Amino acid sequence: MLNEISSELEKEKLKEAALDMSSIKPILESRLTSNSFQDEISEFFREVAALKGQSVHDTLNQMVTGTQKYLEAVNTPIEFKNGLPTDIDKFVDKLENISIGIEACWDLFSPESRQFFIDIANYFCEAASKLQGWTGLLIKLRLFLPSIFRQENLFKKYKDSFLLIPKAVKMAIELRESKRTTQLEATAKFLLEQAREISKKQQYLLPYLKHLGRNTEEQIEKNQAAMAWAKARMEEIERKRNQRNS
């Protein structure tokens, strides 16, 4: 099982969740400085904040940080040799950042992504149990000299990292089971759908603005006014649609 850790950390499910995080990140960041979103979205953040027992601003900051760390982790490749990561620190940082993203943004992930995190948490728990026996002893011997050189117990650091994702998933689930919230999942689904729609609209605009940027990142940076206009227009259309349906 330990030889399969690399493939687990490169699964498409992690990247699919990252696509949602990429779409939601601009909404989270703009929400810190703007009150332009619909009442449903504002209520979502208030409910999550109440769930965590903190302010809305602190909750948003946590989500922004969690989103950044998750995206950073998914885009960090890990090399393995003989079943062990060639860089223990890089491996641990990847798992830690994924865990931070899972715990901070649990409500923003799709049901499919949350189930995947539950599955991968169980996988890591099973893998961690194998480090208690003969397999763990062999790994400890292989890390003995590097640990002396670093003056750090690399085996313990490696072993403890296997429980980072399981702990994050467990805390996220237990928190939501201990406190009832009003339509939190339905509102989160609405937010995710809106984020995806905004992302699609932004990608649609980019081909018409190529002369303003040498690459996608520069286009986005230099065309904030156009993006803001597109977002405002979408919100206006959405409000009118809601009014017609009410």
Side-chain angles (χ1 to χ4, degrees):
M1 174 172 283
L2 296 181
N3 290 327
E4 299 171 2
I5 291 292
S6 176
S7 62
E8 285 297 315
L9 294 178
E10 299 299 329
K11 280 192 172 179
E12 287 301 315
K13 286 288 185 180
L14 282 173
K15 297 175 183 178
E16 288 174 12
L19 291 176
D20 286 340
M21 289 293 94
S22 297
S23 299
I24 286 174
K25 187 169 177 283
I27 287 183
L28 294 174
E29 292 173 336
S30 64
R31 190 65 182 83
L32 283 169
T33 57
S34 171
N35 293 316
S36 62
F37 286 93
Q38 293 94 328
D39 291 340
E40 293 93 338
I41 302 304
S42 297
E43 181 60 27
F44 167 78
F45 289 114
R46 284 194 292 269
E47 285 197 34
V48 176
L51 187 67
K52 297 183 176 183
Q54 58 192 26
S55 70
V56 173
H57 191 271
D58 288 345
T59 299
L60 280 165
N61 272 324
Q62 270 189 1
M63 288 182 172
V64 169
T65 300
T67 300
Q68 292 170 338
K69 288 186 176 294
Y70 184 90
L71 293 174
E72 176 187 327
V74 171
N75 292 322
T76 299
I78 301 295
E79 295 182 3
F80 283 74
K81 184 177 181 180
N82 299 324
L84 270 181
T86 56
D87 188 329
I88 297 292
D89 291 332
K90 194 175 181 182
F91 174 81
V92 173
D93 286 344
K94 183 179 180 95
L95 293 186
E96 183 175 12
N97 285 338
I98 290 175
S99 303
I100 291 172
I102 289 173
E103 189 173 346
C105 304
W106 182 261
D107 300 290
L108 298 177
F109 289 109
S110 67
E112 294 78 15
S113 291
R114 291 199 295 270
Q115 183 58 53
F116 169 72
F117 294 140
I118 292 171
D119 294 340
I120 201 173
N122 292 332
Y123 178 91
F124 272 100
C125 283
E126 187 177 347
S129 68
K130 293 184 178 295
L131 295 177
Q132 305 298 325
W134 181 249
T135 300
L137 179 60
L138 292 176
I139 293 175
K140 186 182 295 185
L141 290 174
R142 289 173 58 187
L143 294 175
F144 180 70
L145 289 179
S147 294
I148 292 178
F149 180 77
R150 290 267 302 269
Q151 295 185 335
E152 182 181 10
N153 190 337
L154 292 179
F155 174 72
K156 184 178 186 303
K157 187 173 187 178
Y158 177 64
K159 181 181 68 174
D160 290 348
S161 70
F162 277 49
L163 297 180
L164 290 171
I165 291 178
K167 286 179 179 177
V169 171
K170 184 173 183 289
M171 289 181 66
I173 292 175
E174 287 184 349
L175 179 62
R176 283 146 190 83
E177 287 180 346
S178 64
K179 298 181 180 179
R180 294 180 62 85
T181 56
T182 305
Q183 297 183 335
L184 184 58
E185 186 168 341
T187 311
K189 181 180 178 182
F190 173 76
L191 174 60
L192 181 58
E193 290 174 350
Q194 186 176 69
R196 287 170 175 168
E197 191 64 28
I198 291 175
S199 180
K200 288 179 183 177
K201 292 294 183 181
Q202 289 177 342
Q203 293 301 318
Y204 175 79
L205 284 173
L206 290 181
Y208 300 98
L209 302 169
K210 288 181 180 179
H211 59 287
L212 295 179
R214 291 168 294 182
N215 51 47
T216 300
E217 290 74 19
E218 191 172 324
Q219 288 172 23
I220 293 175
E221 179 184 354
K222 291 189 174 184
N223 291 297
Q224 289 301 312
M227 299 302 180
W229 174 85
K231 185 170 72 174
R233 178 60 179 159
M234 287 180 61
E235 290 175 0
E236 181 183 355
I237 293 172
E238 186 66 30
R239 280 195 297 270
K240 289 181 179 179
R241 182 185 302 162
N242 290 339
Q243 289 173 357
R244 289 196 302 267
N245 294 335
S246 60

